[in-house]
Structures are given as structure tokens and as C-alpha cells.
Amino acid sequence: MDSLHKLSRRQALATAIAGTAAWFLDKEAIGMNEQSNSGLARTSPGSVGVASEGVLRFLDAVEEKVGGLHSFMLVRHGKVAAEGWWRPYAPRSPHMLFSLSKSFTSTAVGLAVSEGRLTVEDRVVDFFPEQAPASPNANLRAMRVKHLLTMTTGHDQDTLDRTVRANDRNWVRAFLSLPVEHEPGTHFVYNSGATYMLSAIIQKLTGTRLLDYLTPRLFAPLGIHGMTWETCPMGIDTGGWGLSIKTEDIARFGLLYLQQGLWRGRRIVPAEWIEKATAKQVSNGQDPNSDWAQGYGYQFWRCRHGAYRGDGAFGQYCIVMPEQDAILAITSGVTDMQAVLNAVWDHLLPAMSMGKTKPADADERLRRRLAALEIPLPASATNAPATRKILDQTYRITTNDRGITAARLTIEGDRLDLMLSTVKGAHRISAGERQWVRGTTSLDGTPSAKIASRWTWTDAATLVLTIAYYETPFVRTMTIRSGDEIQLSWRDNVGFGPTQGPSLTGKVDRHLP
């Protein structure tokens, strides 16, 4: 359902292990009063016909059966009816969208079409005559912008990995050099390389990055600020992935589409484009129970129940439900994306099948539940450990592919510091026992990643750190066990490859402080 080029993957997984700068205690604990300081109007669920009991059941389902949600925002009749962030995720923090970025790229194409810069019938090779093969084959010559939009380029498989491996770092030339096995328009295959080409076309036509093109036309009018987009080695925004924005920004984007391109009385996107982009342009399967087999538009998926969505790896969603006049924005780190949608249809959809309701006990229970959301933490030992042998000693770590050479743990009051040394320098994870401590890490390379950490003893000899890379889907659980030697291991909640890290061992080095 989603793929990621190696450069982006390295950046995302640089959110994976520790080292710090500029630590500070978590001041972003989320209460209901702190969630209302942005542009969308807030209201009670019942005032817009949303049953609080249904939202509670949705929360039960995703926490008990799915796990991994980081935020959600339900908008109905133009107002936020329910919202929540699982600490340390917070309203002010952007989140990686992965392939949900594609829907924003599609919007840029729609805006460029409305400005007369191109049409969906334009041939792809005509935009890049200097980078196309000298003698393009018939299928490449037949490939048009609409085929990039609908994932029907004619390629037999996603072009992304082959494109980003280009020796000359020119992804456009690499894409155009690939075999096109089928006649364009006849064969659907999910293709992030195709969306990258849409971004490249926008930049070629406008002389500016996709992000800069969209800022005055889309982001600024919607009140979206602080967005970032990854670029390829040639300085072109990746298009099919790489956009990071906040949860409410996702909701605003969805609301714009629900309102057929109007935002507070102003036309932002042509209604004709939105109709085409969100309609079923091609068939992509026959499974009536799968939300990935209901048809595909212009970088939007059709859903069951008359809805449509943009989505990204590990559970980033912008779900538009026209029949309910509702939007649902979700960020998460999940392995089963269909399970999240099942919970939406099973619980939130029925919760909106009613008129206005009077406040009830469920409203207060929902308010308390939303204010207390937090990502899962390991169960703490009932008593403090009888021994703290692993503390205040430096351990020499055996050779490993992470380049970690030494480790040292100290605890003072509520705060734990884990020092990890490499040949390039020392890195620190700071964590709180009762609250999240925030910082940054560059141990796995640059750019540095923002992290928030908590720790607990799970038994007398085992200490566990939970490290959330809170602008991404990634959460790492690091386990440190003591005995004759220290043992350090970790696992990630989600990943594009193995999520279980190596187990490192070390012995006390009497020669080190």
C-alpha cells in the first residue's frame, strides 16, 4: 500500500535510537482546554449529531484490537466534535504523512490545470525532452498526466526503488528509462514513482518546488503553517511521500474537499477537479470488504460507505464522508490499516446516524477519556528493584553494526540518563519515570529526530525505555537487563523491514569512569 525511497527511509528510521541535545520536561500534556486554540470551531459531539458512546466504542476498538493511534480529529458539519492525542503526540507537532502526501500533490496538479499550465492529456515525455530516451517506446510515448494520477502508467510494478537508485541521482531520467510493460491506462499498480513525476512536472512548469507552489494557493488560505516536504537529490519535492503537517491541518484539507473546494466562502480548488479526483477513475480490485479495492481516483482511494480518503503508511488518514458531512483525520503507527477503517465503519459511522442529542453521562466520560490518552507503556514493577547493579557503571559493548561502543545508566530522582558512545561521539537519552522528557537524537545520522522518552522498572533486573519519535509513526521500546553483564535490546512498533533490533551485550569496563 505504500513504499518509501531509501533516503526517506533513512531519515524516518533516524528516529530510532538515541543521543540528545536541548532536553526539556514535557509541557505539552494534552487537556481538553489546550486542544481548542486553532482555527476550526469546536463543539460538543451531541450538538452535531455524534453520539459520545460511539466515539468511546471507537477508542475501545482501536486501543484493544489495533493499537498504535497517535491522534484523531472528527469534524462534522464543519465543527470539531471530538479530538485526541495519545501523549507524547500533541496538537502542535507535525506528523509524517507518507503517501497521504499524494493527495496534496494531486491538488497541486488540479490547481495547475485550472491556471492553464497543463492538461491531464499532456504526454509525460513532452515535459522532459532532454531527459527522455532518444527513441521512447510506444507505451512511454502514450503515457499521459492522467496515467500518473491514476496509477495506470503501464509499469508492471512500483517504479520507486529503481528510480531512487539512479547512479546520477536524476530520478526523472531514471523513471523515463524504465520499461513500460503495458499500454498506459490498462493496468493499475500502486506507483509512488508516478507521483514523484507529478511533482517534477509542477516544478518544471512553475520553476518552484511543489511546496512553494502550494503555499499561497492551498496552505496559506487554509491556515496551514510549518509544513515541510522532503526533496530528491535534484531538489524536487518527493510528491508521493515526505510531507509533514499537523493533525488539524489534515482535517482542514479534508474539509476543503468536503466543501467542494470552498473555504470560508472563497474558491480554493475547482469543484470540477475535486469531483474527478475523488471519483472512481480506475478499478483496483473486487473485494467488497477491502477499502483498497473500491476504486482509485486522482491520488485518492475510494472507500466503502460512499466515502473516499487519502492515506499513508502505518495509518495516516484523511477520510471524507460526504453522506455524513464529516471528516476524520488520523495519525498513527499501526501495522493493520484496514483494522482502523473497520473501527471507523463499525463505531463512528453508527454514531453519526442520529440527530442532535442532549448531553449525557457519556459526554463527560468521553471528555475524561480524551484528556487521558497516552501511547501504551509497559507495566511497572510493584516495588522498586532490590538491586541497581547496572547503574552508575560504564559498560564496554561488544562489536555491533550500530557502532555503539559503550553504555552508561544513571538515575537521579525521576530522571534517567542513558549515555551511548560511538566512535563519532557520545549520545544521551533522557527519560522521565512519571512524565515524558523531550529531546533530539542524531545517533543514526542527520537530520536529527525529535524524541520523547519514559522509563520504568518492569522487574528487579529489567529497565524499559519507551522512546517516541513524535513527529513520525515510530516508537521504540528499549529493554536493558542486568546480570553478570548488561544486555540491551530494542524493537520498533512499525517499520519497512525487520522491527526487532539486535541484542547488544557488555561488561563493566573498570578503566572507564
Side-chain angles (χ1 to χ4, degrees), residues 143-443:
M143 189 189 302
R144 303 181 186 273
V145 171
K146 66 182 179 183
H147 300 133
L148 300 176
L149 287 164
T150 58
M151 304 294 191
T152 58
T153 58
H155 293 101
D156 205 39
Q157 57 183 300
D158 191 347
T159 60
L160 185 61
D161 286 344
R162 291 173 291 168
T163 296
V164 303
R165 288 200 301 264
N167 291 332
D168 64 356
R169 296 155 51 95
N170 188 322
W171 294 5
V172 170
R173 181 179 289 117
F175 178 92
L176 295 174
S177 71
L178 296 174
V180 183
E181 295 87 352
H182 307 274
E183 179 185 352
T186 65
H187 185 75
F188 174 87
V189 63
Y190 196 71
N191 191 342
S192 292
T195 317
Y196 167 77
M197 291 298 293
L198 293 172
S199 176
I201 289 170
I202 293 295
Q203 184 157 329
K204 183 69 178 292
L205 292 174
T206 67
T208 187
R209 290 177 54 194
L210 176 65
L211 180 66
D212 295 331
Y213 176 75
L214 281 176
T215 294
R217 295 167 174 82
L218 178 72
F219 294 128
L222 296 187
I224 298 174
H225 306 285
M227 54 284 173
T228 59
W229 211 315
E230 296 176 38
T231 62
C232 78
M234 304 297 286
I236 300 169
D237 289 347
T238 49
W241 66 96
L243 178 62
S244 291
I245 57 176
K246 297 181 287 295
T247 306
E248 181 160 332
D249 299 336
I250 300 171
R252 293 181 189 211
F253 178 70
L255 186 57
L256 173 71
Y257 267 73
L258 180 66
Q259 296 171 162
Q260 293 296 297
L262 288 174
W263 186 259
R264 296 175 179 170
R266 175 185 172 188
R267 170 65 60 189
I268 304 298
V269 180
E272 296 83 1
W273 180 263
I274 289 180
E275 181 179 355
K276 291 178 180 178
T278 62
K280 180 180 178 179
Q281 296 290 341
V282 296
S283 177
N284 60 354
Q286 302 295 327
D287 186 350
N289 298 314
S290 170
D291 283 290
W292 279 266
Q294 306 305 309
Y296 196 75
Y298 289 170
Q299 310 284 291
F300 284 88
W301 299 90
R302 292 296 306 178
C303 301
R304 295 174 292 166
H305 306 288
Y308 61 87
R309 74 188 187 281
D311 70 33
F314 311 125
Q316 326 313 317
Y317 304 89
C318 179
I319 306 168
V320 181
M321 296 170 271
E323 295 176 11
Q324 289 74 32
D325 191 29
I327 304 297
L328 183 62
I330 294 175
T331 64
S332 56
V334 301
T335 56
D336 188 347
M337 292 179 63
Q338 182 64 66
V340 177
L341 292 172
N342 290 344
V344 173
W345 310 139
D346 291 345
H347 303 291
L348 288 185
L349 213 59
M352 293 185 284
S353 62
M354 55 190 298
K356 290 186 177 181
T357 62
K358 296 180 179 180
D361 173 67
D363 294 339
E364 177 59 21
R365 287 191 285 117
L366 177 60
R367 188 196 68 80
R368 293 196 303 268
R369 177 76 172 273
L370 293 174
L373 294 175
E374 188 167 17
I375 64 174
L377 295 168
S380 300
T382 54
N383 298 307
T387 177
R388 294 190 173 192
K389 290 182 178 179
I390 62 174
L391 300 181
D392 302 317
Q393 299 190 85
T394 300
Y395 290 85
R396 178 65 64 187
I397 304 299
T398 55
T399 302
N400 58 88
D401 61 4
R402 297 283 175 159
I404 299 171
T405 59
R408 182 179 178 86
L409 275 167
T410 59
I411 295 177
E412 184 174 347
D414 179 70
R415 183 185 175 110
L416 173 143
D417 287 308
L418 171 63
M419 297 293 298
L420 295 172
S421 298
T422 71
V423 293
K424 295 183 178 180
H427 304 265
R428 174 185 295 161
I429 299 175
S430 291
E433 186 175 17
R434 290 176 292 275
Q435 59 186 331
W436 295 91
V437 174
R438 295 177 182 262
T440 60
T441 176
S442 58
L443 182 65

Side-chain angles (χ1 to χ4, degrees), residues 432-487:
E433 186 175 17
R434 290 176 292 275
Q435 59 186 331
W436 295 91
V437 174
R438 295 177 182 262
T440 60
T441 176
S442 58
L443 182 65
D444 281 347
T446 56
S448 62
K450 295 179 180 179
I451 60 175
S453 307
R454 286 189 63 178
W455 69 275
T456 188
W457 293 102
T458 56
D459 60 47
T462 306
L463 187 147
V464 176
L465 280 78
T466 301
I467 307 166
Y469 304 90
Y470 59 87
E471 292 187 350
T472 82
F474 304 110
V475 178
R476 169 155 291 183
T477 301
M478 184 177 291
T479 302
I480 303 171
R481 295 184 176 88
S482 63
D484 294 335
E485 58 185 16
I486 193 174
Q487 294 182 334

